[in-house]
Amino acid sequence: MAGDFTEQSDPFGLFASWLEEAKASEPNDPNAMALATVDADGLPDVRMVLLKGHDEHGFVFYTNAESQKGTELAGNPKAAIVLHWKSLRRQVRVRGPVSEVSAEEADAYFNSRARDSRIGAWASQQSRPLESRFALEKAVAKYAAKYAIGTVPRPPYWRGYRIAPVYIEFWHDRPFRLHDRVIFKRSGPEGDWTRERFYP
């Protein structure tokens, strides 16, 4: 258990312990998170993605850079995420600037995926109009034949992104909506954290 999280001073260690507990209690995808970005008009956009890495440098996810989220991040490289673990009655919110992970890091994760998922990354023109399911299946068959032998390389548009947090909030449900909220903030990705409790 994480103990009294309101007394913790290391947000990354606290997050890691909460995620481990969620892996034991959540029925599906404890690493699922809502990712929020904004478009060129400043209109927010949010969708579910999977957290694929976390450490003191930030929180990592992967996507097609030509997708809606990819183009929005290219125009405004800042994002927010929230992970909600209903079984534990907890959530974590994160905000910060976004940068691409190295090609080596992206390659390593891409190569760890199932072969069919790697083929799918080539076949899907993510976030663009699709005339029919058959067209998608045809594209899958095309790339499955192209990469029938040997490794499936990472598409140049398939990339990883790292959110370097400047704000992390830990929330835990308490009776009568008197929830515990602890906020870690810093001025930039390399700054020192300050910690505060907030009213629920």
Side-chain angles (χ1 to χ4, degrees):
M1 295 292 289
D4 183 0
F5 81 94
T6 63
E7 300 301 319
Q8 298 287 327
S9 59
D10 173 18
F12 297 115
L14 178 56
F15 177 84
S17 67
W18 275 25
L19 181 59
E20 283 304 308
E21 290 182 52
K23 288 177 181 177
S25 64
E26 286 293 302
N28 294 298
D29 297 328
N31 60 329
M33 61 186 191
L35 169 71
T37 55
V38 296
D39 67 14
D41 297 320
L43 187 65
D45 223 345
V46 66
R47 76 289 283 164
M48 299 301 295
V49 300
L50 296 178
L51 176 68
K52 290 300 183 178
H54 63 91
D55 58 21
E56 68 276 11
H57 301 295
F59 300 83
V60 176
F61 63 95
Y62 293 86
T63 192
N64 185 323
E66 297 173 355
S67 68
Q68 193 166 13
K69 68 179 94 58
T71 56
E72 288 172 355
L73 287 169
N76 187 351
K78 299 175 183 176
I81 56 174
V82 61
L83 295 98
H84 177 229
W85 300 301
K86 194 171 184 178
S87 63
L88 297 174
R89 307 179 76 88
R90 292 175 178 170
Q91 74 174 18
V92 178
R93 297 171 57 207
V94 177
R95 304 168 70 205
V98 178
S99 61
E100 291 185 17
V101 306
S102 69
E104 293 77 15
E105 189 174 348
D107 285 341
Y109 175 69
F110 187 79
N111 292 332
S112 75
R113 303 176 85 208
R115 187 178 184 86
D116 286 349
S117 294
R118 285 178 275 162
I119 294 293
W122 282 98
S124 177
Q125 300 179 43
Q126 194 176 30
S127 299
R128 280 156 284 186
L130 174 63
E131 61 184 78
S132 67
R133 181 75 188 181
F134 176 73
L136 176 59
E137 292 170 351
K138 184 177 177 182
V140 169
K142 170 188 170 182
Y143 286 104
K146 181 175 180 178
Y147 297 115
I149 299 174
T151 61
V152 181
R154 178 175 61 89
Y157 49 78
W158 194 92
R159 301 174 192 169
Y161 295 87
R162 176 175 285 106
I163 303 172
V166 295
Y167 178 103
I168 306 178
E169 176 182 327
F170 295 87
W171 175 98
H172 187 256
D173 176 82
R174 296 293 295 271
F176 311 111
R177 302 192 64 81
L178 300 178
H179 313 309
D180 282 326
R181 291 177 68 191
V182 173
I183 286 76
F184 292 85
K185 291 190 288 186
R186 57 186 178 180
S187 58
E190 303 301 323
D192 294 327
W193 292 107
T194 62
R195 185 187 64 190
E196 294 180 281
R197 291 191 69 149
F198 276 21
Y199 280 97

